[in-house]
């Protein structure tokens, strides 16, 4: 089934969406809890606009499992945030922006994998989440992207999530994913993989022009591919790694038979 966020993206202006959500949940919707993958900003804004509170949680298997929940404290919901750290947890940002966490819910280590454990938990007990984040002046954290997904284009850092949020705002775009693909001159270049809404048509030039109005030049996708669907995990997370692998495979010359 299509993830809830995509249904809202496709029919955001349809007044039937809210009534169908309520009917599916047995009447009045008191609130929504989201996890597993970041809730797109447009979906979050929709629920807030119709008066449904959203609690968006963040955590890892290694943190058993929550680190923060946006809206956990009454009146403390901030769009796009994972909230403040839960009780008894310490959270900080490393110099490169990676989110680190320490507390009683952090695992002791991976079973019989000491080397992997040492890469994840440092000598001071801080678990390195692998997520790039920022913190506002009131101590609310916001996940920006996965560190390993950051694109290095000619030495300039590009966070895929920032570009994806711009693409999500395009009226013809249903789904979008951004990844770094090999480039002989830049090392990596920004590529966008896009699924259009049903019956919509669009050109790469139209997408590029849209992005140029909203992003720094080096963040604008240099390659754009339209697809019927994006590869995902069972919980709906887009597999950027698979998209890159498919791109590389398609760039290889066909074997001569």
């Amino acid at each position: 089934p299509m993830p809830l966020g995509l249904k809202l993206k496709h029919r955001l202006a349809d007044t039937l969406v809210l009534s169908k959500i309520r009917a599916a949940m047995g009447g009045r919707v008191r609130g929504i809890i989201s996890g597993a993958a970041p809730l797109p900003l447009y979906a979050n804004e929709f629920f807030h606009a119709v008066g449904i509170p959203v609690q968006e949680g963040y955590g890892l298997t290694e943190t058993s499992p929550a680190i923060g929940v946006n809206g956990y404290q009454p009146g403390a919901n901030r769009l796009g945030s994972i909230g403040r750290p839960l009780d008894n947890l310490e959270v900080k940002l490393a110099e490169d922006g990676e989110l680190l966490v320490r507390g009683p819910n952090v695992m002791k280590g991976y079973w019989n994998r000491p080397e992997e454990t040492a890469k994840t938990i440092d000598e001071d007990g801080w678990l390195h989440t692998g997520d790039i984040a920022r913190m506002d002046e009131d101590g609310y954290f916001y996940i920006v992207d996965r560190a390993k997904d950051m694109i290095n284009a000619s030495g300039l850092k590009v966070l895929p999530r920032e570009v994806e949020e711009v693409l999500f705002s395009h009226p013809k775009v249903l789904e979008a994913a951004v990844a770094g693909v090999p480039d002989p001159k830049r090392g990596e270049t920004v590529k966008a993989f896009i699924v259009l809404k049903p019956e919509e048509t669009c050109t790469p030039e139209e997408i590029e022009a849209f992005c140029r109005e909203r992003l720094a030049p080096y963040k604008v996708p240099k390659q754009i591919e339209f697809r019927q669907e994006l590869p995902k995990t069972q919980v709906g997370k887009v597999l950027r790694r698979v998209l890159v692998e498919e791109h590389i495979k398609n760039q290889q010359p066909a074997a001569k038979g």
Side-chain angles (χ1 to χ4, degrees):
M2 184 183 295
L4 177 59
L6 294 184
K7 290 181 180 178
L8 293 175
K9 173 70 172 177
H10 181 46
R11 306 184 65 187
L12 189 58
D14 191 338
T15 57
L16 294 178
V17 171
L18 182 57
S19 62
K20 289 185 177 181
I21 292 174
R22 285 176 169 155
M25 296 183 178
R28 181 169 176 260
V29 180
R30 297 184 178 181
I32 290 177
I33 298 176
S34 175
L39 186 66
L41 188 58
Y42 57 77
N44 217 325
E45 290 174 339
F46 172 83
F47 288 123
H48 279 271
V50 296
I52 298 177
V54 176
Q55 291 187 358
E56 184 169 8
Y58 166 77
L60 311 169
T61 302
E62 293 85 347
T63 60
S64 306
I67 295 173
V69 179
N70 186 28
Y72 173 69
Q73 298 168 324
N77 196 308
R78 299 197 179 188
L79 284 176
S81 172
I82 60 168
R84 290 171 170 165
L86 298 178
D87 295 342
N88 301 317
L89 287 183
E90 297 177 81
V91 176
K92 69 176 183 178
L93 299 178
E95 291 184 1
D96 62 357
E98 184 181 9
L99 188 73
L100 310 183
V101 60
R102 182 169 66 181
N105 65 328
V106 173
M107 69 170 186
K108 297 295 184 182
Y110 297 111
W111 178 253
N112 290 333
R113 295 168 62 190
E115 293 183 358
E116 291 300 318
T117 298
K119 293 177 183 179
T120 305
I121 303 177
D122 62 29
E123 295 179 351
D124 295 322
W126 290 100
L127 182 140
H128 294 241
T129 65
D131 288 315
I132 301 297
R134 65 179 179 86
M135 182 181 72
D136 67 18
E137 63 278 5
D138 296 318
Y140 288 80
F141 286 87
Y142 301 77
I143 300 300
V144 178
D145 220 323
R146 292 290 292 169
K148 65 180 181 180
D149 290 335
M150 185 182 295
I151 302 168
N152 188 347
S154 300
L156 298 172
K157 307 297 185 183
V158 181
L159 294 168
R161 186 69 184 178
E162 179 184 0
V163 183
E164 289 170 354
E165 287 291 354
V166 170
L167 293 171
F168 289 153
S169 68
H170 192 289
K172 295 182 179 180
V173 172
L174 178 63
E175 289 186 274
V178 172
V181 296
D183 182 89
K185 294 182 178 179
R186 306 179 75 201
E188 283 187 310
T189 196
V190 182
K191 181 172 181 178
F193 303 84
I194 295 172
V195 177
L196 296 175
K197 293 180 181 179
E199 301 182 3
E200 291 284 5
T201 59
C202 192
T203 65
E205 292 77 16
E206 183 178 343
I207 295 295
E208 182 178 349
F210 183 84
C211 290
R212 286 194 178 281
E213 295 178 354
R214 296 161 175 82
L215 292 167
Y218 69 92
K219 298 179 181 180
V220 174
K222 301 299 184 292
Q223 298 183 31
I224 297 168
E225 177 183 330
F226 295 106
R227 301 170 59 100
Q228 294 299 314
E229 60 182 5
L230 299 176
K232 300 184 184 72
T233 66
Q234 291 184 340
V235 296
K237 291 183 179 180
V238 174
L239 293 169
R240 291 173 179 155
R241 170 183 52 80
V242 173
L243 291 170
V244 173
E245 290 173 353
E246 291 179 357
H247 168 88
I248 294 174
K249 183 178 179 181
N250 292 334
Q251 298 302 306
Q252 295 174 348
K256 296 181 180 180

